Amino acid sequence: SSPLLLLFLFHIIMAMYGQKGRDLLLELKRSDWLPPYNGELCTEILEEISLHFDELQAQISGNQKPPMEARSSLLLHDMAIRRNKRCLLAYHVSRLTALQKEVNTGYEHFNSAQLATVTAESEQDFLQQYEKLRTNFGAALNLDLRASLYPPEQDFVQVRVLSSKLGTIVTESGSAVNLQLGTIHYLPRGDVEPLIRQGLLEQVDGEEEG
């Protein structure tokens, strides 16, 4: 037989052995978010791994070196085991990452009760432990871990100066602003609200938010 034909047959057999793992990942990819946990297919893949392992053990039993003609078979079973393991790991890591994100964003897609319908018992245990760890960590640091990573945009207002007594003020950001009578400025609401309440400034049309 030609080497190319053998290589072609090798890839065909590998595709057949890895079909269940491929189906598992395709199921995950085709879902809008997270499909129900496919425990049945995971079990079938584990059983297939076990069968390949038994074949390997049978061919390398004893201290004798496997014959040359058996090495392609050994390689085939070893690669099938590795491929199935990679598929299982990718499937579970992807699901756990999605579940972590769901907790971090405050259950954006599902509430905790709905998650129970698509997760395995082990995944539900993971969720509980992860949320508990996250809550304890945030409490220890006095932080809201669900808060945005970016500071909120500050609310700005447009004001007109009604008093000649204000002069120059320094905003919370450290900027100096000269409030001359009759001039109009666009300033953070927190800096000017007290002055508006005192009647020293007035909010004018054209209010915007930054």
Side-chain angles (χ1 to χ4, degrees):
S1 300
S2 69
L4 287 177
L5 177 60
L6 290 174
L7 184 62
F8 174 75
L9 292 173
F10 182 83
H11 284 292
I12 291 294
I13 295 171
M14 278 301 301
M16 292 171 58
Y17 278 143
Q19 185 61 45
K20 291 179 180 179
R22 182 174 180 271
D23 290 344
L24 193 66
L25 295 182
L26 283 176
E27 180 182 284
L28 196 62
K29 183 178 180 180
R30 290 167 179 163
S31 173
D32 290 337
W33 182 67
L34 197 67
Y37 183 78
N38 197 333
E40 182 178 350
L41 190 52
C42 287
T43 300
E44 290 178 5
I45 295 171
L46 288 172
E47 290 173 350
E48 188 175 290
I49 290 174
S50 181
L51 289 173
H52 286 298
F53 183 77
D54 290 341
E55 287 291 332
L56 277 177
Q57 289 289 94
Q59 295 186 44
I60 61 175
S61 58
N63 297 323
Q64 293 184 350
K65 189 175 182 179
M68 184 63 69
E69 60 268 19
R71 293 184 182 179
S72 59
S73 175
L74 293 174
L75 179 62
L76 182 67
H77 290 300
D78 180 67
M79 291 185 67
I81 290 173
R82 293 174 184 271
R83 180 172 180 172
N84 278 331
K85 282 184 175 181
R86 287 197 299 269
C87 289
L88 284 173
L89 286 171
Y91 179 76
H92 288 91
V93 168
S94 179
R95 289 182 63 88
L96 291 182
T97 300
L99 292 174
Q100 281 182 299
K101 184 177 180 181
E102 197 67 16
V103 174
N104 294 341
T105 57
Y107 295 101
E108 181 180 22
H109 295 88
F110 293 97
N111 59 40
S112 55
Q114 291 170 321
L115 276 176
T117 65
V118 297
T119 52
E121 186 176 344
S122 57
E123 291 177 323
Q124 294 171 31
D125 290 340
F126 168 82
L127 268 178
Q128 293 174 3
Q129 293 300 319
Y130 177 71
E131 187 155 22
K132 182 179 178 182
L133 180 66
R134 195 175 179 283
T135 300
N136 291 341
F137 182 71
L141 297 178
N142 195 27
L143 288 175
D144 179 8
L145 297 180
R146 287 200 176 100
S148 172
L149 295 176
Y150 304 98
E153 294 183 356
Q154 197 166 19
D155 187 15
F156 281 73
V157 293
Q158 192 164 282
V159 294
R160 178 185 291 113
V161 183
L162 301 179
S163 172
S164 60
K165 301 178 181 179
L166 288 174
T168 300
I169 66 168
V170 179
T171 66
E172 290 183 2
S173 64
S175 302
V177 181
N178 186 12
L179 299 180
Q180 295 182 353
L181 179 64
T183 56
I184 295 176
H185 303 269
Y186 186 59
L187 297 169
R189 185 183 297 274
D191 288 321
V192 298
E193 269 192 337
L195 299 177
I196 293 174
R197 286 196 294 268
Q198 295 172 39
L200 302 175
L201 301 175
E202 70 170 345
Q203 186 170 324
V204 297
D205 294 338
E207 175 185 347
E208 300 177 44
E209 290 187 358

